[in-house]
Amino acid sequence: MTVRFHSHARERMVERGATEDEVRVTVEQGERFPARFGRTGFRRNFPFDDEWRGRHYGTKQVEAFAVREGPDWLVISVITRYF
């Protein structure tokens, strides 16, 4: 299985602070859930213990929304939450 990234997902990753490696691990090992428009969502928490936009957080949660393309996943969008 290969995880590929749509240009929209890459833009969201940059603006929301997620790395390709974090998103790839989220798709491969994270919790899977059904999402809108026939997509699949993936969620995983990562230890963070750093600053994001001027505030300190201990955990970063990455959510990736993807569609299946044969044996591969195409990540369409990415959301991050810090807490």
Side-chain angles (χ1 to χ4, degrees), residues 3 26 32 39 43 46-48 50 53 55 72 83:
V3 178
T26 298
R32 186 185 294 200
R39 297 178 180 150
R43 181 182 301 121
F46 294 90
F48 188 62
D50 204 350
R53 297 188 177 171
R55 292 188 59 190
D72 302 335
F83 49 94

Side-chain angles (χ1 to χ4, degrees), residues 8-59:
H8 174 82
R10 288 186 190 280
E11 291 170 9
R12 299 297 82 78
M13 288 163 51
V14 169
E15 77 181 27
R16 296 172 179 165
T19 67
E20 278 192 26
D21 286 340
E22 289 170 334
V23 174
R24 190 169 285 110
V25 168
T26 298
V27 171
E28 292 172 351
Q29 302 174 13
E31 169 193 356
R32 186 185 294 200
F33 59 93
R36 293 173 35 179
F37 308 117
R39 297 178 180 150
T40 302
F42 300 89
R43 181 182 301 121
R44 183 174 170 131
N45 292 343
F46 294 90
F48 188 62
D49 193 30
D50 204 350
E51 230 177 75
W52 174 252
R53 297 188 177 171
R55 292 188 59 190
H56 188 270
Y57 298 96
T59 303

